[in-house]
Amino acid sequence: MDVECSQLLPQVCKILTDNRQLVSDDSCLEKLLDWFKCVINTAPAEQVLGENQCIVRLLQQVVCVGDAEPHLISFAMRLVGIFAAQKGGFQYLMNEGIVQGMLECVCSDHVWKDASVRSGWIQGLHSMVQNRLAINVFSNSGAVDIMLNLQTDSSLFVASAAKELVAYILFSSVKMELDNPKGNSIDKWPDLAQRIFAHLEKSLGSGISSSVTQSIKTLIAVFRSCTDEVAVIIWSHVAILIKGLLDAKSVNSMHHLEDLLLAVARFPVFSKLDSDLWHLIKMALKNLNLFQANSLALGIMKIKHCPHEILLQAASVLFYPLDCILRSSATQRNTSGLLDELACDHAAVENLMAVKSSCATLLCQCLSHVKELCLMDSLPIHVPDGFVLRSVLIILQFCIDQAAPASQAGSRFSKFLIGSLRVQRTALDTIGALSNWPICSESLVETYKILSAYLDYPDTHPTVLKKALQASVKWLQVSSSAGDTYWTYSQKFLQDLIPVLMKRLCSPSWEIRDSTLEFLTHLTNVFNVTEHDRFKQVFTFSGIPRLVLDLLKDPESYVRASAVSCMGQIICDIQYNSSLADEEDGITSETTKMQDIVPILINILSQDTEGFPRRAVVSVFRDWLKNGHLQHMEDSQQLLTDILEIAIGDLDWEVKMNALDLASVFVSQTFAVCGQQSCPYTVELMNKESLQTMSEVIQKCNQIGLLYFLLDTLGDCDRPVALKSCDILISVKSKMCEGLSASDSLTSELHGAEWLECALRDWKKSSSSKGEVQEINRVLDILKKVNLDNIKCCLSKSSDHIHKTPQSLLQDIMASAETAEENEADCY
């Protein structure tokens, strides 16, 4: 501990225990705890306590007496835990009677009622029992019963913390006996572990909902951290109780039961089918309510060593709601459902599906689970993917009243699902994910048909339309990557889609216009290869580029930004990846020639009042530069100069960050002409062989104002901007100065940010009267003399790092107490 802190600490401890000088800012106490954690990481806890008796007096007065403000008692208990986590600190506090006072929990009733005190007590104990000595002392105290009772505390935070503490102590106490060959049964466990486990068994069989739930949660925490050996022992004792809960079919009692079963099933030791665990899981799939059973089924599908028979039953539970949908719309010719054999409670499912609210909720849960399965690398069993896709498509048809019900249930579903935004959004997300599974021509055609219906449906909600567009992109990506096999279907879908997109670009809803522009941007990315020039020809001459150009003036800034990104992508993909750049057409040439678009984008960058479009403009220029498109410009150097000059005065820090990205691309590309290895943000050295080339490169950087831009942004008020600029300059400086003689490349004195600010100010004043060679020499001189490493070190620290020092924290506590005392006044 620093000398300054040691001198301030006694007065701070005195303030904390003085009821007349309350510290109202609890964040100060949290920071104190963090500081003490750092202190005992550098010095033994007993040494810190011995050298700072004021801490011991504070803990004795607050913890052992227990008559203080709740927030202070909570702080003191957590502080005891921090010091007692080390054996030396624990023994020291034991000798002072502080540990005993905490375990006896001497707080008065009115203080203990405060949840923060109970929470602080639990957190303190959790830290304390990290050493075996503390567990032994704890087991012989009355704190065990208090801890067990807090599992059902009225405060969810306290109950949750108590559950974690019970699980930790149970496993820790058992772990101490693992080396004992006699510890292979609960009867051989330590007394504390037996006592805790007996309480859990009693709670599981109590029939009291809150006790059962908390006991299940504690067991889940135990199973998630214990070993195979302990898991087998515990499960052998609780399995019969779990079976009783399943037999009772009490909804409240079985809360979180699926999580417990999955926590146990993760152990390979239970992989055999004859294990009673799988028998209980089969019971749970039938006896749990359908929402819980569906979650359990999804978890089972993710277990690698699960028996095949259980996987089939889980699939039956998981897909049965979709099977109901499929059967409800099946024709006489095709009456089959999803699964050949169903092993779930059909009546329970159909009862839920017969009520509008539960039907929508169940379908959304089922669809979300199917989406998770789609994202898995592999499935443990074969899933009838074609039927799953067909079921989801029928749900989407029901939602817009385009399905043909073949039964009374189908008519009911149709009424339930029409206009359900929640089901539509979830189903469209699932359709997009289903593109990860194998596709065939029939499924592709059917999917495109439904997506077209949603995209063209006049009453489609903006959020639903966005989901439909996103799903369309995914299916187009899959069909495009499959080669020419499915291109005919995709081409037909896109041709039919173009009029719809044009209509959506003119929608009165800005969300729809924005989503459509985002879709077009992704679309041009999907078809960015020459094999699809036929699509580009239809797309380019459709009039869509003209509409995108018009949306650059949209009243909504989000739309303008999306239009900028879209137009930038259109120009890249169409003008430079196809022969359409040579086509002459009035509208086409106006919208696809870069030289005609650049002035519009520069005007947006300099004039738009919102940040989003300006950020998009710089990003477009960066991408053009990165992909080599700016080289087609007649005066690309002037363009880059204009971009940097405008960006340097922009008030939006993200515009500057994007401009720095552009600068880094330029640096990497420009210095690469030296013929040496190059990576982003670096420039190669000036050696004798490449000196002339390097001089030209530096001259080119200076001509567009790159070096001044980097030096100026180094002093930006936004730290991310300054830090990024500093990283680029450090690399530039090291490469430019390397290879020079020591007298040329090094300077005896390096300067900081204030010197740099003055140097830039002088440079700017005299720049007009100096020649280009003098300009380059000036900037190189500045680079040599500025201490970039020191500037980066300062920038890497938080803006309030000076105020986060321990001395500052202690001074703040003292100052706040003094202020509180000064503000005390008689109201008269």
Side-chain angles (χ1 to χ4, degrees):
M1 186 182 297
D2 296 339
V3 176
E4 295 84 354
C5 293
S6 298
Q7 294 173 348
L8 293 172
L9 193 56
Q11 191 172 352
V12 170
C13 291
K14 182 179 179 181
I15 291 173
L16 292 177
T17 55
D18 190 344
N19 292 331
R20 297 171 301 174
Q21 296 178 310
L22 298 178
V23 178
S24 58
D25 187 4
D26 289 344
S27 64
C28 289
L29 300 180
E30 293 294 330
K31 292 175 183 177
L32 265 182
L33 290 172
D34 292 336
W35 174 56
F36 279 121
K37 291 177 183 178
C38 296
V39 169
I40 64 171
N41 284 334
T42 57
E46 64 273 21
Q47 177 184 334
V48 176
L49 292 170
E51 294 176 352
N52 298 274
Q53 285 296 304
C54 57
I55 301 176
V56 178
R57 290 192 293 271
L58 168 68
L59 297 178
Q60 286 176 331
Q61 185 171 346
V62 176
V63 175
C64 298
V65 177
D67 188 18
E69 290 296 316
H71 71 286
L72 181 59
I73 295 178
S74 177
F75 161 79
M77 289 178 169
R78 293 167 64 187
L79 186 57
V80 170
I82 290 174
F83 283 105
Q86 293 186 8
K87 291 183 178 180
F90 177 81
Q91 191 62 60
Y92 193 102
L93 294 176
M94 277 283 293
N95 296 336
E96 298 293 339
I98 296 174
V99 170
Q100 296 88 326
M102 182 170 173
L103 294 178
E104 293 170 4
C105 199
V106 296
C107 301
S108 58
D109 291 340
H110 78 277
V111 173
W112 185 251
K113 289 180 181 178
D114 193 294
S116 66
V117 174
R118 303 194 300 276
S119 178
W121 185 77
I122 293 172
Q123 292 180 61
L125 282 179
H126 208 146
S127 299
M128 183 187 301
V129 294
Q130 291 180 21
N131 65 74
R132 296 189 177 189
L133 183 59
I135 292 180
N136 292 332
V137 173
F138 173 78
S139 63
N140 297 320
S141 69
V144 177
D145 292 332
I146 299 175
M147 174 191 68
L148 295 174
N149 292 331
L150 286 178
Q151 291 180 101
T152 56
D153 194 86
S154 57
S155 168
L156 295 178
F157 297 103
V158 173
S160 178
K163 170 201 68 179
E164 296 294 336
L165 177 61
V166 170
Y168 180 81
I169 291 179
L170 172 63
F171 182 61
S172 297
S173 60
V174 173
K175 189 177 180 181
M176 291 190 296
E177 302 293 331
L178 286 181
D179 296 332
N180 184 355
K182 297 181 180 180
N184 56 2
S185 67
I186 290 180
D187 294 338
K188 304 298 182 180
W189 280 1
D191 292 341
L192 177 59
Q194 292 189 47
R195 186 176 175 184
I196 292 175
F197 191 77
H199 177 84
L200 294 177
E201 283 187 302
K202 181 179 178 181
S203 298
L204 272 178
S206 66
I208 302 173
S209 178
S210 59
S211 298
V212 172
T213 299
Q214 291 303 328
S215 181
I216 291 174
K217 287 182 177 181
T218 303
L219 285 172
I220 292 172
V222 172
F223 279 114
R224 284 176 177 171
S225 59
C226 70
T227 60
D228 284 18
E229 181 183 3
V230 176
V232 170
I233 296 172
I234 294 177
W235 177 251
S236 64
H237 286 75
V238 302
I240 188 64
L241 297 173
I242 302 300
K243 184 178 183 301
L245 293 175
L246 290 172
D247 288 333
K249 293 186 178 182
S250 172
V251 176
N252 292 330
S253 300
M254 293 192 291
H255 193 47
H256 297 295
L257 201 55
E258 71 275 15
D259 291 332
L260 175 60
L261 292 172
L262 290 174
V264 179
R266 74 178 181 86
F267 291 97
V269 70
F270 295 110
S271 60
K272 294 182 180 180
L273 181 59
D274 57 357
S275 170
D276 57 355
L277 169 66
W278 302 113
H279 174 69
L280 291 184
I281 287 180
K282 292 174 68 175
M283 283 184 61
L285 288 171
K286 289 186 177 181
N287 293 4
L288 289 175
N289 74 61
L290 196 58
F291 297 104
Q292 295 171 341
N294 215 274
S295 296
L296 176 60
L298 176 65
I300 290 171
M301 297 288 281
K302 296 179 180 180
I303 298 175
K304 295 181 179 180
H305 57 263
C306 180
H308 187 73
E309 178 183 333
I310 306 299
L311 287 171
L312 289 177
Q313 184 177 354
S316 172
V317 172
L318 189 62
F319 293 125
Y320 189 67
L322 297 183
D323 189 84
C324 291
I325 292 291
L326 192 60
R327 292 174 185 273
S328 69
S329 63
T331 61
Q332 293 296 325
R333 183 172 54 87
N334 178 22
T335 57
S336 62
L338 253 174
L339 305 167
D340 295 330
E341 296 182 6
L342 296 171
C344 62
D345 191 341
H346 306 168
V349 178
E350 291 167 1
N351 289 337
L352 284 175
M353 298 284 282
V355 180
K356 183 176 182 179
S357 59
S358 58
C359 175
T361 302
L362 181 60
L363 285 178
C364 285
Q365 183 193 43
C366 180
L367 290 169
S368 297
H369 291 168
V370 170
K371 179 182 175 182
E372 286 194 49
L373 292 179
C374 293
L375 299 178
M376 291 174 58
D377 294 333
S378 61
L379 293 175
I381 60 171
H382 171 71
V383 173
D385 48 86
F387 286 105
V388 173
L389 176 63
R390 178 62 184 155
S391 301
V392 182
L393 294 177
I394 291 172
I395 292 174
L396 289 171
Q397 287 179 312
F398 277 137
C399 289
I400 56 175
D401 198 21
Q402 289 190 2
S407 63
Q408 184 178 358
S411 300
R412 183 172 64 247
F413 295 149
S414 180
K415 293 178 182 179
F416 286 170
L417 300 179
I418 288 179
S420 174
L421 298 180
R422 182 165 56 124
V423 175
Q424 290 179 62
R425 287 191 290 258
T426 309
L428 286 168
D429 278 338
T430 306
I431 285 292
L434 284 168
S435 63
N436 294 330
W437 285 358
I439 63 172
C440 63
S441 300
E442 183 181 357
S443 65
L444 190 63
V445 171
E446 291 297 318
T447 302
Y448 281 154
K449 183 178 178 181
I450 296 299
L451 292 175
S452 295
Y454 268 79
L455 295 173
D456 195 33
Y457 190 64
D459 295 328
T460 301
H461 191 271
T463 57
V464 174
L465 180 73
K466 186 180 182 73
K467 298 286 187 183
L469 291 169
Q470 291 172 342
S472 299
V473 168
K474 292 181 179 180
W475 279 87
L476 286 168
Q477 285 175 327
V478 170
S479 63
S480 175
S481 62
D484 295 334
T485 307
Y486 304 111
W487 169 240
T488 303
Y489 308 108
S490 298
Q491 187 181 36
K492 178 65 167 60
F493 172 64
L494 288 168
Q495 287 175 339
D496 295 340
L497 190 58
I498 284 177
V500 177
L501 295 175
M502 295 180 67
K503 181 177 68 175
R504 295 301 188 183
L505 288 174
C506 300
S507 171
S509 168
W510 74 264
E511 292 98 333
I512 290 179
R513 300 196 302 274
D514 187 62
S515 297
T516 307
L517 286 167
E518 289 180 354
F519 170 74
L520 289 170
T521 305
H522 291 304
L523 192 63
T524 52
N525 275 325
V526 172
F527 297 100
N528 61 354
V529 291
T530 56
E531 292 91 299
H532 298 302
D533 276 348
R534 288 176 296 173
F535 159 70
K536 292 181 179 179
Q537 186 171 4
V538 175
F539 174 77
T540 304
F541 291 101
S542 66
I544 285 182
R546 176 76 233 186
L547 292 176
V548 175
L549 184 64
D550 291 338
L551 289 175
L552 292 174
K553 301 177 182 178
D554 195 273
E556 175 56 51
S557 63
Y558 291 105
V559 178
R560 295 198 301 276
S562 296
V564 168
S565 300
C566 185
M567 183 55 66
Q569 190 63 50
I570 288 174
I571 290 176
C572 285
D573 288 345
I574 293 179
Q575 184 165 346
Y576 297 104
N577 289 330
S578 76
S579 58
L580 294 176
D582 299 327
E583 298 285 347
E584 290 297 333
D585 176 82
I587 294 178
T588 305
S589 62
E590 179 183 357
T591 56
T592 59
K593 287 185 178 179
M594 182 176 293
Q595 57 266 32
D596 296 326
I597 299 298
V598 165
I600 300 175
L601 297 182
I602 289 295
N603 182 65
I604 293 174
L605 180 59
S606 59
Q607 300 296 328
D608 203 297
T609 57
E610 297 290 337
F612 299 109
R614 302 200 305 274
R615 298 172 194 170
V617 167
V618 182
S619 295
V620 165
F621 285 134
R622 176 202 61 206
D623 293 339
W624 285 358
L625 179 64
K626 184 178 181 179
N627 296 321
H629 299 330
L630 283 186
Q631 63 188 5
H632 296 274
M633 290 286 298
E634 294 179 359
D635 195 1
S636 59
Q637 180 174 308
Q638 184 58 47
L639 172 60
L640 292 173
T641 301
D642 294 340
I643 296 171
L644 296 179
E645 285 182 353
I646 297 172
I648 204 171
D650 202 295
L651 298 180
D652 190 311
W653 71 275
E654 292 193 49
V655 172
K656 295 178 183 177
M657 289 291 284
N658 290 345
L660 285 167
D661 287 335
L662 182 145
S664 68
V665 172
F666 181 84
V667 165
S668 180
Q669 291 181 349
T670 304
F671 281 88
V673 301
C674 295
Q676 301 172 13
Q677 292 180 351
S678 177
C679 61
Y681 313 144
T682 66
V683 224
E684 286 305 325
L685 314 181
M686 283 192 296
N687 51 37
K688 293 180 180 179
E689 291 75 17
S690 61
L691 185 59
Q692 183 63 35
T693 303
M694 182 61 71
S695 299
E696 292 175 354
V697 168
I698 297 174
Q699 181 181 5
K700 187 176 180 181
C701 290
N702 188 66
Q703 285 173 348
I704 69 167
L706 176 70
L707 298 175
Y708 180 81
F709 173 76
L710 292 173
L711 289 169
D712 187 81
T713 51
L714 182 61
D716 196 88
C717 58
D718 289 300
R719 283 196 307 121
V721 174
L723 190 57
K724 188 177 185 66
S725 177
C726 191
D727 286 335
I728 299 174
L729 282 169
I730 286 174
S731 185
V732 168
K733 179 179 179 178
S734 65
K735 300 301 182 182
M736 290 176 65
C737 295
E738 190 175 314
L740 297 177
S741 63
S743 60
D744 292 332
S745 61
L746 302 176
T747 180
S748 58
E749 182 180 1
L750 293 177
H751 304 281
E754 294 182 0
W755 176 89
L756 175 63
E757 185 178 352
C758 296
L760 288 177
R761 192 183 305 118
D762 295 340
W763 181 23
K764 191 172 183 180
K765 290 179 181 179
S766 60
S767 60
S768 59
S769 61
K770 291 187 175 182
E772 188 173 4
V773 175
Q774 291 176 308
E775 286 285 319
I776 295 175
N777 291 334
R778 182 63 180 272
V779 71
L780 291 176
D781 184 62
I782 293 176
L783 271 178
K784 292 176 187 177
K785 294 181 178 180
V786 67
N787 192 339
L788 293 173
D789 292 330
N790 185 57
I791 292 176
K792 181 178 180 179
C793 181
C794 294
L795 290 172
S796 300
K797 298 177 180 178
S798 61
S799 57
D800 60 344
H801 69 275
I802 295 177
H803 302 289
K804 285 188 174 181
T805 60
Q807 297 95 324
S808 177
L809 173 62
L810 298 176
Q811 290 169 353
D812 286 344
I813 295 175
M814 294 168 58
S816 63
E818 292 174 1
T819 303
E821 187 177 1
E822 292 174 359
N823 290 336
E824 290 181 359
D826 194 298
C827 60
Y828 297 103

